[in-house]
Amino acid sequence: MRVPRRELLRLAGAAAALPAASRMARAQAYPTRPVRLVVPFPPGGAFDAVGRPWADKVKPLIDTVVIENIGGGGSSLGAAAVARARPDGYTILLGGTQTHVNEALLKSRPLYDPVKDLDPIAGVAANVLCVAVHPSVPAQTLRELIAHAKANPGKLSYGHSGVGSIQHLTGELFKSLAGTPEIVQVPYRGTGPVITDLVSGQIPIGLPGVTGQLLEFHRTGKTRILAVTGPTRLTAAPDLPTAAELGFPGMTVTGSIGLLAPAGTPPAIIEQIAQATRTAVAEPAFRQLLVEAGIDPTPDSNPEKFRRSLAADVALWTPVVKALGLRID
């Protein structure tokens, strides 16, 4: 039986449209099961302080989000797990400056390509670091800490959230600017363990990201924050000076925290998560929660804005990493 040419063309067009229609139907139905949010650090740090309330706020918009903490490698292990995941919207990453700078600049054999293997969704917040000491350290100011380190070469150490992390880079930058190369760096798997050992006195100095828990430890005298790395003082702790105020403008460091998906995730799903994020960040209670923890919300973000922000972060750190001569493999 011969089929008229017009009918053949109609059937061919319908067949070609099936995959696109199928993808659209899947995106429209998303999600039909819980979404897995990978936090690439152990609990207790700034990423957790952002990720857990975000998961709670977006539940009415994209259903249940299950958090999985995968620490190690200064965020590399968790980010690599997401980069290798199926691009269906059910595995996403809470990453940002850390996950891009680490792999893009510090490794000759990266576990993933942060640009090619991860699609930006939206920024959620920005976090600053701090220089904090255990109360046993006889330094009330950053200058006094530098003087103490120079008077005791090789006897002090600082903790950070992993080799290649922004905390590690900032710590080495501080040593370079302060002229204290003998301070020993001690890597941890995340900010939470750094804070635990700092409070207990296992390490004398920490370069952790600021969190509400850390600010409370400072207020109660369990640790002493000497400076923060933001461009301005924290709204939640206006008594804390910035490193720039104290004569170290080169230590103005801010890290973005946001959402990324495996490359190839359908754009409709990316935008659905981005819109849910914008709605969550716009909520006053959510914003206040972050501000009180010393974390700045990132309003009205989208995939392209977040992409540009991450590219700017890599460009900013490139000359610093080159000047410090840091490689981690």
Side-chain angles (χ1 to χ4, degrees):
M1 182 180 70
R2 296 187 61 188
V3 180
R5 183 172 181 274
R6 181 177 297 176
E7 181 65 12
L8 280 173
L9 291 174
R10 185 187 70 79
L11 291 172
L18 280 175
S22 176
R23 288 195 300 270
M24 187 177 297
R26 287 199 301 270
Q28 289 173 344
Y30 173 88
T32 58
R33 63 179 190 272
V35 175
R36 173 188 177 220
L37 175 66
V38 173
V39 176
F41 294 104
F47 277 69
D48 243 32
V50 172
R52 293 185 185 278
W54 175 85
D56 183 58
K57 292 298 180 184
V58 300
K59 185 175 181 179
L61 304 170
I62 60 171
D63 213 336
T64 300
V65 176
V66 178
I67 292 180
E68 182 177 353
N69 294 89
I70 303 178
S75 79
S76 288
L77 298 185
V82 175
R84 293 191 294 264
R86 201 168 179 175
D88 56 8
Y90 289 99
T91 299
I92 58 177
L93 172 71
L94 191 66
T97 304
Q98 174 62 67
T99 52
H100 274 55
V101 169
N102 193 327
E103 299 301 306
L105 300 181
L106 294 167
K107 295 183 178 181
S108 57
R109 296 184 298 277
L111 298 183
Y112 60 93
D113 185 316
V115 175
K116 294 180 180 180
D117 297 338
L118 294 169
D119 286 343
I121 299 173
V124 181
N127 185 227
V128 302
L129 310 182
C130 68
V131 180
V133 297
H134 185 263
S136 63
V137 175
Q140 300 295 321
T141 68
L142 198 60
R143 290 290 179 186
E144 289 181 4
L145 174 63
I146 293 169
H148 179 62
K150 289 181 176 179
N152 297 273
K155 295 181 180 179
L156 294 180
S157 60
Y158 78 92
H160 59 76
S161 59
V163 174
S165 66
I166 297 300
Q167 294 179 23
H168 179 208
L169 293 181
T170 304
E172 295 305 295
L173 179 60
F174 170 65
K175 286 165 54 177
S176 175
L177 295 172
T180 55
E182 298 87 358
I183 299 178
V184 179
Q185 60 95 8
V186 181
Y188 287 78
R189 292 176 67 86
T191 297
V194 172
I195 294 174
T196 298
D197 274 11
L198 180 63
V199 170
S200 68
Q202 295 299 310
I203 50 171
I205 307 169
L207 267 292
V210 175
T211 66
Q213 180 192 43
L214 184 59
L215 291 177
E216 186 59 26
F217 286 144
H218 170 76
R219 295 184 185 111
T220 56
K222 294 179 180 178
T223 188
R224 187 183 307 123
I225 298 176
L226 304 182
V228 297
T229 66
T232 60
R233 294 194 178 201
L234 297 175
T235 301
D239 59 308
L240 297 177
T242 67
E245 287 179 65
L246 301 176
F248 296 92
M251 269 187 66
T252 300
V253 176
T254 302
S256 64
I257 300 175
L259 301 161
L260 301 110
T265 299
I269 291 177
I270 294 278
E271 181 51 38
Q272 186 174 340
I273 301 172
Q275 180 56 55
T277 300
R278 288 191 291 270
T279 300
V281 175
E283 185 177 315
F286 180 73
R287 294 171 66 87
Q288 186 62 27
L289 182 70
L290 294 183
V291 168
E292 289 177 354
I295 300 169
D296 291 325
T298 301
D300 197 30
S301 185
N302 61 41
E304 187 53 36
K305 285 183 180 179
F306 194 31
R307 187 186 306 277
R308 291 197 301 267
S309 171
L310 294 172
D313 288 337
V314 172
L316 179 69
W317 277 104
T318 298
V320 178
V321 170
K322 185 176 181 180
L324 293 174
L326 289 177
R327 300 295 291 180
I328 59 175
D329 63 2

